[in-house]
Amino acid sequence: MAVHILDAMAREGFEQVLALHDRASGLRGFLGLHDTRQGPAFGGIRRLAYRDEKAALLDCLRLSKAMTEKCVLADLPAGGGKLVIMDREGLDLERAYRHVGRVVEQLGGRFYTGPDMGTGQRELGWVAAETRYATQPGDAGPGLLAESTAAGVFAGIRAALGQVFGSPRVAERTVVVQGLGQVGERLAALLIEGGAHVFGAEVDSERAQRVSAELGVELVPPGSEFRVPCDVFAPCAQGGILHDLSLEGLASRIVAGAANNVLARGIDGDRLHERGILYVPDVVICSGAVIRGAIFHLEGRRESLERIGERVGRTCERILQRAAEEDESPARVATREALERLGDSLDAPDSEPTPAAPR
Ligand code: NAD
């Protein structure tokens, strides 16, 4: 199936999509600027071995739009963007990232970028050497973004516990953390410190063993985590993991984690709601990193983890409260609130069906 890019952009209100190619490094990718009406776009760089160009483009569009919702709901004077790099053998990583840095610099501050899957401290160093508009690793930057995400997710879990059980305390609650990576490990540490019992599923067995030994996480085999009876299921690995099959066996009261685009389809949020499982929308709960990054770049200061947690927690409470009052899925409420704040209507506007390209 072809992607009619201009039609897709019109339907979802995208401002600009750049196709990136660099002969010297072998770079292929896309940069999506979804909405900069509230301020410059923020979004990380994802490097992934995409199946094909279409998969990369669609991921770029989906993620950059979600970033707009994230920024708007977090009350940031910022919008959404995303840069995706199609990873493949032979890609000259340093050259590719440096090229990306120059592209970002040319945008003159319309887009600020940072880490995402496949882009860590090393890659950011290459990007930041070419542009002022990237999160600097180390002391020159805003601080570790993963720890701010974990602080936000922890606060979001507390908000959800408050809504479901009448108390935000994590003590004696059971939480399944899927993915014990940068965010998952930190989240597990916060939960255990608060007295929760944490189960963890992690596909990297060496990492899993280390985190388990250091923190006291009880490991479960990856793939079985959906069926572990628990109070909270915290997805901190990949997106798209909640779908027809996984939802069927899900044995938790709450879903609240760091992974972006965790629902495979919008309708899966409705299904969780129908089953009485409280879903804390990803665009609200995993905004700790963009809050830290945007405040650093736009206001020149480093926000404390405590304040980031308070801020994310307040937003989660507001959305969950509204969803309860309206008896609707929190995911729908979050999207609606973001559109309201942007002054947009739900049924989008100026899209004409695009004729298929001539063969
Ligand atoms: P990461 O790569 O450090 O950690 C992900 C971990 O999940 C890895 O250890 C990986 O081995 C594991 N994993 C992958 N697939 C798995 C599976 N099917 N089952 C179990 N484990 C699996 O990434 P991260 O920075 O911790 O981010 C985690 C998620 O949160 C990602 O979806 C990311 O997009 C999202 N997120 C991260 C940040 C941030 O600040 N790092 C901010 C917002 C959203």
Side-chain angles (χ1 to χ4, degrees), residues 226-227 242-255 267-279 327 329:
F226 297 99
R227 297 183 299 279
L242 289 181
H243 46 70
D244 294 355
L245 289 177
S246 56
L247 276 180
E248 209 153 284
L250 193 65
S252 72
R253 292 292 312 277
I254 292 167
V255 173
I267 197 168
D268 294 320
D270 302 332
R271 296 180 62 210
L272 283 170
H273 181 64
E274 282 156 19
R275 284 192 47 199
I277 298 173
L278 185 65
Y279 170 64
D327 189 18
S329 124

Side-chain angles (χ1 to χ4, degrees), residues 46 145-146 149 179 181-183 201-203 236-238 258-260 286 289:
R46 178 165 291 192
L145 295 182
T149 303
Q182 295 187 76
V183 179
E202 166 58 60
V203 290
C236 296
Q238 296 171 4
N260 287 308
C286 69

Side-chain angles (χ1 to χ4, degrees), residues 35-340:
D35 193 315
T36 59
R37 286 177 293 172
Q38 313 278 319
F42 279 75
I45 302 173
R46 178 165 291 192
R47 175 165 55 89
L48 207 58
Y50 288 102
R51 195 177 54 245
D52 53 26
E53 232 175 274
K54 180 182 161 190
L57 174 61
L58 291 180
D59 207 28
C60 177
L61 296 179
R62 216 164 40 101
L63 291 164
S64 49
K65 180 165 177 264
M67 283 304 293
T68 299
E69 288 187 18
K70 219 184 252 192
C71 291
V72 166
L73 291 168
D75 278 325
L76 294 169
K82 201 79 182 183
L83 201 151
V84 304
I85 294 177
M86 298 179 70
D87 202 7
R88 63 197 166 91
E89 225 163 279
L91 180 66
D92 182 334
L93 284 185
E94 179 168 354
R95 277 190 170 182
Y97 274 97
R98 281 183 175 272
H99 180 86
V100 158
R102 291 192 289 278
V103 171
V104 172
E105 182 61 28
Q106 279 163 13
L107 288 169
R110 249 184 103 212
F111 176 59
Y112 285 79
T113 197
D116 195 274
M117 278 157 71
T119 303
Q121 301 285 301
R122 176 186 65 159
E123 291 82 2
L124 277 179
W126 293 327
V127 179
E130 304 287 342
T131 179
R132 295 162 283 172
Y133 308 114
T135 300
Q136 297 264 359
D139 291 345
L144 276 179
L145 295 182
E147 66 180 13
S148 46
T149 303
V153 173
F154 184 67
I157 287 176
R158 284 174 48 82
L161 288 171
Q163 171 108 346
V164 171
F165 298 107
S167 162
R169 294 187 68 231
V170 301
E172 286 163 42
R173 294 286 167 208
T174 47
V175 183
V176 170
V177 179
Q178 184 195 44
L180 297 167
Q182 295 187 76
V183 179
E185 177 178 353
R186 288 180 170 84
L187 175 64
L190 292 171
L191 289 164
I192 288 169
E193 204 181 291
H197 184 85
V198 176
F199 297 94
E202 166 58 60
V203 290
D204 176 340
S205 52
E206 212 171 291
R207 187 170 182 99
Q209 294 299 338
R210 180 187 58 74
V211 174
S212 168
E214 282 177 17
L215 301 179
V217 169
E218 183 177 342
L219 295 177
V220 297
S224 72
E225 66 273 29
F226 297 99
R227 297 183 299 279
V228 175
C230 60
D231 296 312
V232 183
F233 178 78
C236 296
Q238 296 171 4
I241 51 111
L242 289 181
H243 46 70
D244 294 355
L245 289 177
S246 56
L247 276 180
E248 209 153 284
L250 193 65
S252 72
R253 292 292 312 277
I254 292 167
V255 173
N260 287 308
N261 295 327
V262 77
L263 303 173
R265 297 167 308 160
I267 197 168
D268 294 320
D270 302 332
R271 296 180 62 210
L272 283 170
H273 181 64
E274 282 156 19
R275 284 192 47 199
I277 298 173
L278 185 65
Y279 170 64
V280 188
D282 48 4
V283 288
V284 182
I285 194 169
C286 69
S287 56
V290 74
I291 291 174
R292 183 171 255 188
I295 288 178
F296 179 77
H297 285 293
L298 302 178
E299 297 178 23
R301 60 186 177 86
R302 290 186 176 84
E303 190 66 304
S304 72
L305 289 179
E306 198 186 349
R307 294 194 49 155
I308 290 171
E310 282 167 12
R311 192 164 169 162
V312 176
R314 269 199 311 274
T315 312
C316 290
E317 277 168 19
R318 191 185 69 238
I319 296 289
L320 296 181
Q321 181 68 36
R322 189 171 164 187
E325 283 162 13
E326 296 173 10
D327 189 18
E328 209 180 349
S329 124
R332 297 237 178 253
V333 170
T335 299
R336 182 152 15 93
E337 188 169 314
L339 289 169
E340 284 165 8

